[in-house]
Amino acid sequence: LVIRGDKDERAVLCSGDKTYDLKIADTSNLLLFVPGCRTPDQLTNSQDSPHLAHTQIWGFCNSYWELRKQRPKLKKLKKLLMENPYEGPALGGQEENTENRYTMQDLLERIQASEEETKTQLEIIHACQIDGYWRVLDFDYEMKLLGHVTQLVDSESWSFNKVPLQTSLEELAPLEPKEMIEHCLNCYGKRYTENDKVFYALHEDKVCRGVALLLLQNAAKFNLREFQEVWQQSVPEGMSTRLDQLKSVALVDRTSRPETICLLRVEDLPEDTLERFNHLFTLREKWTEDDITPYIQ
């Protein structure tokens, strides 16, 4: 068990896979601290008169720590990693920025979450280990990697459900490091083995969502109908776009004329429940259950 938190944070207790809020609770029973204290079962079983022991009390306590399971505080994780996002291998003559890089131990000391919850979140935000440090990819670089993969699939007329790993690495090696290509396949596909060969089945929803984020990141609002047309044209041929692929990352306004869509990622919202509700209702006075659910579940 580990207590985690910076000086300006409320302390939490973490086990290997869960996070708990720490709160002091009073007790009506006075707890006494006795050195070398023995419980009744440790005493010799005697039929004689009760055993009386004289001992010194070192201290007392009338409160204890009460634990309450809570959501891990993971927003800080991406904030730390975005201090120095990975933009690809350094070009000839350039030196890579080695500041603000974090190992797993560094992150565990700074993030109020268990190790398992931290590792799960690193996977969700598509972080990877480079030279022993955890790095999150610059979004434009990540989309560049995905573009290489999808263009290769299209040029080779492969099925999106059967992308060969080894051939992909060999074909794209002149463009990007093999480790980055494989990382991209892990982020946007599911790995499986067939006849001792490794393949990836690209996940349609993840690929479509990535392309949508690329389109929305530089626009405050987008005409919904125009966005849907551009979005469908931008994804690889054979994949279908649907608005339900954008739950928790984009918000559709059906009340405006014309209807619009804008970027609203759940990871950018406050972690505190009350603060999150207040923020959501400053963005919109009225919410339907379907619209607000992805941001509060």
Side-chain angles (χ1 to χ4, degrees), residues 92-270:
Q94 290 185 341
E95 288 189 9
E96 187 181 355
N97 181 8
T98 58
E99 296 180 351
N100 300 325
R101 300 193 302 179
Y102 301 93
T103 63
M104 175 57 76
Q105 191 57 43
D106 294 334
L107 294 174
L108 290 176
E109 290 176 2
R110 302 286 301 275
I111 306 301
Q112 291 187 294
S114 68
E115 185 170 355
E116 186 173 313
E117 290 167 329
T118 301
K119 287 179 178 178
T120 300
Q121 186 66 14
L122 286 168
E123 188 176 326
I124 290 172
I125 63 176
H126 296 174
C128 63
Q129 260 190 313
I130 301 173
D131 298 329
Y133 297 95
W134 281 95
R135 309 284 298 277
V136 69
L137 303 190
D138 175 77
F139 184 68
D140 288 338
Y141 180 63
E142 185 175 325
M143 288 298 101
K144 180 183 175 184
L145 292 171
L146 181 60
H148 287 322
V149 171
T150 55
Q151 287 168 21
L152 178 64
V153 171
D154 184 54
S155 65
E156 298 289 340
S157 299
W158 292 334
S159 164
F160 283 112
N161 292 321
K162 198 171 184 179
V163 181
L165 172 62
Q166 194 56 41
T167 308
S168 300
L169 297 180
E170 291 170 358
E171 292 291 329
L172 297 175
L175 302 175
E176 298 293 344
K178 291 183 178 181
E179 296 79 11
M180 290 296 100
I181 298 298
E182 187 168 358
H183 175 65
C184 179
L185 287 168
N186 282 323
C187 291
Y188 290 93
K190 184 177 181 180
R191 185 186 182 112
Y192 68 94
T193 305
E194 187 177 292
N195 297 327
D196 296 328
K197 290 186 178 180
V198 179
F199 294 91
Y200 281 86
L202 291 184
H203 199 291
E204 181 178 76
D205 289 356
K206 289 182 178 180
V207 174
C208 291
R209 177 186 290 221
V211 174
L213 291 174
L214 184 64
L215 295 173
L216 291 170
Q217 68 173 347
N218 295 320
K221 283 189 177 180
F222 216 123
N223 180 299
L224 179 61
R225 186 178 58 81
E226 293 177 358
F227 167 76
Q228 287 179 293
E229 291 176 1
V230 174
W231 185 25
Q232 183 60 59
Q233 293 167 5
S234 302
V235 299
E237 191 174 348
M239 289 192 172
S240 300
T241 58
R242 304 184 314 277
L243 287 177
D244 67 297
Q245 294 166 335
L246 303 183
K247 284 183 178 179
S248 78
V249 296
L251 186 63
V252 175
D253 188 352
R254 300 283 186 185
T255 61
S256 64
R257 293 292 177 267
E259 295 177 340
T260 60
I261 185 171
C262 65
L263 193 65
L264 182 61
R265 295 178 295 194
V266 67
E267 63 193 58
D268 295 332
L269 297 176

